Amino acid sequence: MIKESFCEADTFQLGKEMGASAKPGEIYCLDGDLGVGKTVFTQGFAEGLGIQDTVNSPTFTIMQVYEEGRIPLYHFDVYRIGDVTEMDELGYEEYFFGDGVCLIEWASLILEAIPENARRIRIEKNLEQGFDYRRIVVEDGMNSNGIN
């Protein structure tokens, strides 16, 4: 699926729609350059789950858990992970295979830990289309290259 976003509200809305239909055990891998809207998408996703807490990117804490929605949201930002083995220290498998939904920013940095059935979401800029334009590609399944 390919969606076009012309403003933050569009990116938020797509996240909200996907969050509203998310199911326990699903993993969403979010990739894109700095500033493309990964956190805006995640905020919409959280709202779609019924989460009212303020959602920020857990860049320094690596993971944030939100349990107030219809299912728990496990929000990872692995930008600062130096090695995929650091995920073991977080006990990531408890979350990846738990009863909530995982959303992982910068997932391409930990491909070895990502199950093949995870959904990949790439957010891309195209300045020729405008400063706020984003192309959002949603794909089912990951492989070792992070490409479907």
Side-chain angles (χ1 to χ4, degrees):
M1 168 175 69
I2 298 174
K3 295 283 190 174
E4 291 183 303
S5 171
F6 297 94
C7 61
E8 281 190 10
D10 292 346
T11 301
F12 183 94
Q13 183 61 35
L14 177 60
K16 184 176 178 179
E17 291 167 9
M18 291 184 73
S21 64
K23 296 175 181 61
E26 290 183 329
I27 298 174
Y28 294 83
C29 299
L30 214 62
D31 280 300
D33 292 335
L34 285 170
V36 296
K38 293 183 296 295
T39 301
V40 169
F41 178 91
T42 302
Q43 291 166 340
F45 195 94
E47 187 169 300
L49 289 170
I51 295 168
Q52 299 300 313
D53 282 348
T54 301
V55 174
N56 293 308
S57 192
T59 302
F60 294 100
T61 59
I62 310 297
M63 185 190 66
Q64 181 67 42
V65 176
Y66 301 92
E67 294 182 334
E68 71 178 53
R70 63 179 177 81
I71 56 176
L73 171 63
Y74 310 127
H75 179 204
F76 292 82
D77 181 333
V78 298
Y79 184 75
R80 296 196 179 278
I81 294 281
D83 185 274
V84 72
T85 59
E86 292 177 45
M87 293 296 291
D88 293 328
E89 296 170 21
L90 295 172
Y92 79 95
E93 289 179 331
E94 174 184 339
Y95 301 101
F96 280 22
F97 304 105
D99 57 0
V101 60
C102 290
L103 201 147
I104 308 162
E105 295 187 41
W106 299 98
S108 62
L109 298 175
I110 59 162
L111 285 177
E112 304 93 278
I114 304 291
E116 287 186 23
N117 65 340
R119 296 183 84 185
R120 183 176 189 212
I121 302 165
R122 287 179 294 137
I123 304 177
E124 305 165 342
K125 290 182 186 181
N126 183 341
L127 294 177
E128 291 178 13
Q129 298 278 356
F131 182 77
D132 293 323
Y133 175 86
R134 303 293 187 263
R135 180 176 182 256
I136 303 172
V137 180
V138 180
E139 301 168 308
D140 290 329
M142 299 281 285
N143 67 27
S144 61
N145 296 322
I147 300 170
N148 304 53

mmCIF file of all heavy atoms in Angstrom, residues 28-63:
data_model
loop_
_atom_site.group_PDB
_atom_site.id
_atom_site.type_symbol
_atom_site.label_atom_id
_atom_site.label_comp_id
_atom_site.label_asym_id
_atom_site.label_seq_id
_atom_site.Cartn_x
_atom_site.Cartn_y
_atom_site.Cartn_z
ATOM 1 N N TYR A 28 5.137 -3.518 13.828
ATOM 2 C CA TYR A 28 5.243 -2.526 12.758
ATOM 3 C C TYR A 28 6.626 -1.898 12.830
ATOM 4 O O TYR A 28 7.033 -1.395 13.876
ATOM 5 C CB TYR A 28 4.174 -1.441 12.920
ATOM 6 C CG TYR A 28 2.770 -1.960 12.745
ATOM 7 C CD1 TYR A 28 2.099 -2.578 13.793
ATOM 8 C CD2 TYR A 28 2.125 -1.843 11.527
ATOM 9 C CE1 TYR A 28 0.815 -3.072 13.631
ATOM 10 C CE2 TYR A 28 0.838 -2.329 11.352
ATOM 11 C CZ TYR A 28 0.191 -2.944 12.411
ATOM 12 O OH TYR A 28 -1.083 -3.424 12.240
ATOM 13 N N CYS A 29 7.353 -1.956 11.724
ATOM 14 C CA CYS A 29 8.712 -1.437 11.642
ATOM 15 C C CYS A 29 8.691 -0.129 10.862
ATOM 16 O O CYS A 29 8.311 -0.107 9.694
ATOM 17 C CB CYS A 29 9.614 -2.451 10.952
ATOM 18 S SG CYS A 29 9.714 -4.002 11.850
ATOM 19 N N LEU A 30 9.090 0.930 11.513
ATOM 20 C CA LEU A 30 9.007 2.270 10.951
ATOM 21 C C LEU A 30 10.405 2.754 10.584
ATOM 22 O O LEU A 30 11.281 2.815 11.442
ATOM 23 C CB LEU A 30 8.415 3.182 12.026
ATOM 24 C CG LEU A 30 7.533 4.316 11.633
ATOM 25 C CD1 LEU A 30 6.292 3.815 10.925
ATOM 26 C CD2 LEU A 30 7.138 5.113 12.853
ATOM 27 N N ASP A 31 10.592 3.075 9.314
ATOM 28 C CA ASP A 31 11.889 3.583 8.868
ATOM 29 C C ASP A 31 11.708 4.846 8.042
ATOM 30 O O ASP A 31 10.685 5.039 7.383
ATOM 31 C CB ASP A 31 12.629 2.521 8.040
ATOM 32 C CG ASP A 31 13.302 1.480 8.922
ATOM 33 O OD1 ASP A 31 14.163 1.870 9.730
ATOM 34 O OD2 ASP A 31 12.968 0.293 8.803
ATOM 35 N N GLY A 32 12.722 5.686 8.079
ATOM 36 C CA GLY A 32 12.747 6.931 7.324
ATOM 37 C C GLY A 32 13.785 7.845 7.940
ATOM 38 O O GLY A 32 14.191 7.672 9.092
ATOM 39 N N ASP A 33 14.203 8.831 7.185
ATOM 40 C CA ASP A 33 15.212 9.771 7.655
ATOM 41 C C ASP A 33 14.728 10.546 8.873
ATOM 42 O O ASP A 33 13.528 10.573 9.177
ATOM 43 C CB ASP A 33 15.571 10.767 6.545
ATOM 44 C CG ASP A 33 16.303 10.116 5.386
ATOM 45 O OD1 ASP A 33 16.935 9.071 5.591
ATOM 46 O OD2 ASP A 33 16.230 10.663 4.261
ATOM 47 N N LEU A 34 15.651 11.204 9.547
ATOM 48 C CA LEU A 34 15.292 12.090 10.652
ATOM 49 C C LEU A 34 14.307 13.138 10.162
ATOM 50 O O LEU A 34 14.477 13.709 9.076
ATOM 51 C CB LEU A 34 16.541 12.799 11.193
ATOM 52 C CG LEU A 34 17.483 11.962 12.039
ATOM 53 C CD1 LEU A 34 18.782 12.718 12.279
ATOM 54 C CD2 LEU A 34 16.844 11.582 13.355
ATOM 55 N N GLY A 35 13.281 13.371 10.944
ATOM 56 C CA GLY A 35 12.340 14.439 10.631
ATOM 57 C C GLY A 35 11.287 14.135 9.589
ATOM 58 O O GLY A 35 10.596 15.048 9.140
ATOM 59 N N VAL A 36 11.125 12.859 9.193
ATOM 60 C CA VAL A 36 10.121 12.561 8.155
ATOM 61 C C VAL A 36 8.724 12.381 8.731
ATOM 62 O O VAL A 36 7.745 12.395 7.985
ATOM 63 C CB VAL A 36 10.473 11.319 7.296
ATOM 64 C CG1 VAL A 36 11.726 11.542 6.501
ATOM 65 C CG2 VAL A 36 10.513 10.059 8.111
ATOM 66 N N GLY A 37 8.604 12.175 10.041
ATOM 67 C CA GLY A 37 7.287 12.032 10.633
ATOM 68 C C GLY A 37 7.030 10.701 11.308
ATOM 69 O O GLY A 37 5.879 10.346 11.542
ATOM 70 N N LYS A 38 8.086 9.977 11.669
ATOM 71 C CA LYS A 38 7.895 8.684 12.338
ATOM 72 C C LYS A 38 7.154 8.864 13.666
ATOM 73 O O LYS A 38 6.250 8.099 13.986
ATOM 74 C CB LYS A 38 9.244 7.995 12.559
ATOM 75 C CG LYS A 38 9.933 7.558 11.276
ATOM 76 C CD LYS A 38 11.230 6.811 11.525
ATOM 77 C CE LYS A 38 12.303 7.633 12.183
ATOM 78 N NZ LYS A 38 12.810 8.750 11.378
ATOM 79 N N THR A 39 7.525 9.886 14.418
ATOM 80 C CA THR A 39 6.872 10.111 15.700
ATOM 81 C C THR A 39 5.442 10.605 15.509
ATOM 82 O O THR A 39 4.539 10.192 16.244
ATOM 83 C CB THR A 39 7.695 11.083 16.568
ATOM 84 O OG1 THR A 39 8.992 10.512 16.775
ATOM 85 C CG2 THR A 39 7.033 11.331 17.913
ATOM 86 N N VAL A 40 5.191 11.429 14.524
ATOM 87 C CA VAL A 40 3.819 11.881 14.227
ATOM 88 C C VAL A 40 2.949 10.678 13.872
ATOM 89 O O VAL A 40 1.821 10.542 14.360
ATOM 90 C CB VAL A 40 3.813 12.919 13.086
ATOM 91 C CG1 VAL A 40 2.402 13.191 12.591
ATOM 92 C CG2 VAL A 40 4.487 14.211 13.527
ATOM 93 N N PHE A 41 3.476 9.781 13.039
ATOM 94 C CA PHE A 41 2.759 8.556 12.685
ATOM 95 C C PHE A 41 2.456 7.756 13.955
ATOM 96 O O PHE A 41 1.336 7.281 14.158
ATOM 97 C CB PHE A 41 3.589 7.723 11.709
ATOM 98 C CG PHE A 41 2.942 6.422 11.343
ATOM 99 C CD1 PHE A 41 2.113 6.337 10.238
ATOM 100 C CD2 PHE A 41 3.140 5.279 12.107
ATOM 101 C CE1 PHE A 41 1.492 5.137 9.899
ATOM 102 C CE2 PHE A 41 2.531 4.080 11.788
ATOM 103 C CZ PHE A 41 1.699 4.015 10.677
ATOM 104 N N THR A 42 3.458 7.612 14.820
ATOM 105 C CA THR A 42 3.303 6.843 16.053
ATOM 106 C C THR A 42 2.255 7.475 16.963
ATOM 107 O O THR A 42 1.470 6.769 17.602
ATOM 108 C CB THR A 42 4.656 6.721 16.784
ATOM 109 O OG1 THR A 42 5.590 6.085 15.900
ATOM 110 C CG2 THR A 42 4.539 5.919 18.062
ATOM 111 N N GLN A 43 2.225 8.795 17.042
ATOM 112 C CA GLN A 43 1.219 9.472 17.862
ATOM 113 C C GLN A 43 -0.185 9.166 17.341
ATOM 114 O O GLN A 43 -1.107 8.933 18.129
ATOM 115 C CB GLN A 43 1.491 10.974 17.887
ATOM 116 C CG GLN A 43 2.745 11.311 18.666
ATOM 117 C CD GLN A 43 3.245 12.731 18.449
ATOM 118 O OE1 GLN A 43 2.915 13.388 17.464
ATOM 119 N NE2 GLN A 43 4.067 13.211 19.374
ATOM 120 N N GLY A 44 -0.353 9.162 16.035
ATOM 121 C CA GLY A 44 -1.637 8.793 15.455
ATOM 122 C C GLY A 44 -1.971 7.338 15.739
ATOM 123 O O GLY A 44 -3.110 7.005 16.073
ATOM 124 N N PHE A 45 -0.981 6.465 15.597
ATOM 125 C CA PHE A 45 -1.153 5.028 15.866
ATOM 126 C C PHE A 45 -1.649 4.832 17.299
ATOM 127 O O PHE A 45 -2.593 4.085 17.545
ATOM 128 C CB PHE A 45 0.180 4.316 15.639
ATOM 129 C CG PHE A 45 0.086 2.826 15.530
ATOM 130 C CD1 PHE A 45 -0.017 2.219 14.290
ATOM 131 C CD2 PHE A 45 0.131 2.029 16.655
ATOM 132 C CE1 PHE A 45 -0.083 0.832 14.177
ATOM 133 C CE2 PHE A 45 0.066 0.646 16.557
ATOM 134 C CZ PHE A 45 -0.042 0.046 15.314
ATOM 135 N N ALA A 46 -1.007 5.526 18.235
ATOM 136 C CA ALA A 46 -1.392 5.423 19.643
ATOM 137 C C ALA A 46 -2.830 5.904 19.846
ATOM 138 O O ALA A 46 -3.612 5.263 20.565
ATOM 139 C CB ALA A 46 -0.433 6.230 20.512
ATOM 140 N N GLU A 47 -3.197 6.992 19.212
ATOM 141 C CA GLU A 47 -4.569 7.476 19.354
ATOM 142 C C GLU A 47 -5.560 6.462 18.790
ATOM 143 O O GLU A 47 -6.638 6.256 19.345
ATOM 144 C CB GLU A 47 -4.740 8.829 18.661
ATOM 145 C CG GLU A 47 -6.110 9.430 18.926
ATOM 146 C CD GLU A 47 -6.239 10.864 18.483
ATOM 147 O OE1 GLU A 47 -5.483 11.717 18.987
ATOM 148 O OE2 GLU A 47 -7.114 11.123 17.628
ATOM 149 N N GLY A 48 -5.186 5.812 17.686
ATOM 150 C CA GLY A 48 -6.033 4.772 17.113
ATOM 151 C C GLY A 48 -6.237 3.597 18.058
ATOM 152 O O GLY A 48 -7.251 2.907 17.991
ATOM 153 N N LEU A 49 -5.283 3.377 18.953
ATOM 154 C CA LEU A 49 -5.400 2.330 19.969
ATOM 155 C C LEU A 49 -6.179 2.803 21.192
ATOM 156 O O LEU A 49 -6.444 2.021 22.093
ATOM 157 C CB LEU A 49 -4.013 1.866 20.423
ATOM 158 C CG LEU A 49 -3.202 1.040 19.424
ATOM 159 C CD1 LEU A 49 -1.767 0.869 19.920
ATOM 160 C CD2 LEU A 49 -3.850 -0.304 19.176
ATOM 161 N N GLY A 50 -6.500 4.092 21.226
ATOM 162 C CA GLY A 50 -7.216 4.643 22.376
ATOM 163 C C GLY A 50 -6.310 5.163 23.468
ATOM 164 O O GLY A 50 -6.741 5.388 24.593
ATOM 165 N N ILE A 51 -5.051 5.382 23.159
ATOM 166 C CA ILE A 51 -4.081 5.880 24.136
ATOM 167 C C ILE A 51 -4.152 7.402 24.165
ATOM 168 O O ILE A 51 -4.030 8.058 23.131
ATOM 169 C CB ILE A 51 -2.661 5.394 23.776
ATOM 170 C CG1 ILE A 51 -2.613 3.867 23.906
ATOM 171 C CG2 ILE A 51 -1.604 6.075 24.644
ATOM 172 C CD1 ILE A 51 -1.380 3.227 23.313
ATOM 173 N N GLN A 52 -4.336 7.956 25.360
ATOM 174 C CA GLN A 52 -4.449 9.404 25.525
ATOM 175 C C GLN A 52 -3.165 10.046 26.040
ATOM 176 O O GLN A 52 -3.027 11.264 26.010
ATOM 177 C CB GLN A 52 -5.610 9.731 26.475
ATOM 178 C CG GLN A 52 -6.955 9.247 25.968
ATOM 179 C CD GLN A 52 -7.338 9.854 24.625
ATOM 180 O OE1 GLN A 52 -7.229 11.061 24.420
ATOM 181 N NE2 GLN A 52 -7.760 9.014 23.692
ATOM 182 N N ASP A 53 -2.231 9.228 26.551
ATOM 183 C CA ASP A 53 -0.955 9.763 27.043
ATOM 184 C C ASP A 53 -0.206 10.492 25.933
ATOM 185 O O ASP A 53 -0.371 10.184 24.753
ATOM 186 C CB ASP A 53 -0.042 8.630 27.539
ATOM 187 C CG ASP A 53 -0.418 8.119 28.906
ATOM 188 O OD1 ASP A 53 -1.233 8.764 29.585
ATOM 189 O OD2 ASP A 53 0.108 7.053 29.286
ATOM 190 N N THR A 54 0.650 11.415 26.317
ATOM 191 C CA THR A 54 1.543 12.059 25.364
ATOM 192 C C THR A 54 2.554 11.026 24.888
ATOM 193 O O THR A 54 3.191 10.350 25.696
ATOM 194 C CB THR A 54 2.281 13.240 26.027
ATOM 195 O OG1 THR A 54 1.301 14.173 26.495
ATOM 196 C CG2 THR A 54 3.216 13.923 25.049
ATOM 197 N N VAL A 55 2.690 10.895 23.577
ATOM 198 C CA VAL A 55 3.605 9.923 22.993
ATOM 199 C C VAL A 55 4.771 10.677 22.363
ATOM 200 O O VAL A 55 4.577 11.512 21.480
ATOM 201 C CB VAL A 55 2.889 9.056 21.937
ATOM 202 C CG1 VAL A 55 3.880 8.147 21.216
ATOM 203 C CG2 VAL A 55 1.786 8.235 22.591
ATOM 204 N N ASN A 56 5.957 10.388 22.855
ATOM 205 C CA ASN A 56 7.182 10.958 22.302
ATOM 206 C C ASN A 56 8.105 9.819 21.931
ATOM 207 O O ASN A 56 7.974 8.713 22.434
ATOM 208 C CB ASN A 56 7.878 11.868 23.321
ATOM 209 C CG ASN A 56 7.058 13.104 23.618
ATOM 210 O OD1 ASN A 56 6.649 13.818 22.717
ATOM 211 N ND2 ASN A 56 6.797 13.340 24.887
ATOM 212 N N SER A 57 9.056 10.115 21.072
ATOM 213 C CA SER A 57 10.003 9.093 20.670
ATOM 214 C C SER A 57 10.931 8.763 21.836
ATOM 215 O O SER A 57 11.560 9.653 22.396
ATOM 216 C CB SER A 57 10.808 9.575 19.463
ATOM 217 O OG SER A 57 11.504 8.508 18.911
ATOM 218 N N PRO A 58 11.032 7.481 22.215
ATOM 219 C CA PRO A 58 11.876 7.098 23.349
ATOM 220 C C PRO A 58 13.348 6.931 22.962
ATOM 221 O O PRO A 58 13.967 5.905 23.223
ATOM 222 C CB PRO A 58 11.255 5.768 23.795
ATOM 223 C CG PRO A 58 10.715 5.182 22.537
ATOM 224 C CD PRO A 58 10.254 6.359 21.707
ATOM 225 N N THR A 59 13.918 7.951 22.342
ATOM 226 C CA THR A 59 15.276 7.860 21.813
ATOM 227 C C THR A 59 16.295 7.485 22.888
ATOM 228 O O THR A 59 17.184 6.686 22.643
ATOM 229 C CB THR A 59 15.679 9.192 21.148
ATOM 230 O OG1 THR A 59 14.732 9.482 20.126
ATOM 231 C CG2 THR A 59 17.063 9.109 20.539
ATOM 232 N N PHE A 60 16.163 8.043 24.072
ATOM 233 C CA PHE A 60 17.166 7.786 25.104
ATOM 234 C C PHE A 60 16.798 6.613 26.006
ATOM 235 O O PHE A 60 17.666 5.985 26.597
ATOM 236 C CB PHE A 60 17.420 9.054 25.931
ATOM 237 C CG PHE A 60 18.041 10.135 25.099
ATOM 238 C CD1 PHE A 60 17.275 11.159 24.588
ATOM 239 C CD2 PHE A 60 19.389 10.091 24.771
ATOM 240 C CE1 PHE A 60 17.842 12.142 23.795
ATOM 241 C CE2 PHE A 60 19.970 11.065 23.971
ATOM 242 C CZ PHE A 60 19.188 12.095 23.486
ATOM 243 N N THR A 61 15.520 6.292 26.105
ATOM 244 C CA THR A 61 15.101 5.164 26.934
ATOM 245 C C THR A 61 14.941 3.889 26.118
ATOM 246 O O THR A 61 14.748 2.826 26.669
ATOM 247 C CB THR A 61 13.771 5.467 27.652
ATOM 248 O OG1 THR A 61 12.772 5.753 26.672
ATOM 249 C CG2 THR A 61 13.906 6.630 28.603
ATOM 250 N N ILE A 62 14.979 3.997 24.809
ATOM 251 C CA ILE A 62 14.846 2.906 23.834
ATOM 252 C C ILE A 62 13.407 2.392 23.722
ATOM 253 O O ILE A 62 12.925 2.134 22.637
ATOM 254 C CB ILE A 62 15.794 1.712 24.100
ATOM 255 C CG1 ILE A 62 17.223 2.184 24.302
ATOM 256 C CG2 ILE A 62 15.712 0.672 22.985
ATOM 257 C CD1 ILE A 62 17.869 2.871 23.125
ATOM 258 N N MET A 63 12.692 2.266 24.846
ATOM 259 C CA MET A 63 11.347 1.711 24.771
ATOM 260 C C MET A 63 10.422 2.397 25.763
ATOM 261 O O MET A 63 10.826 2.758 26.865
ATOM 262 C CB MET A 63 11.372 0.216 25.080
ATOM 263 C CG MET A 63 10.024 -0.428 24.895
ATOM 264 S SD MET A 63 9.952 -2.105 25.504
ATOM 265 C CE MET A 63 10.149 -1.872 27.232
#
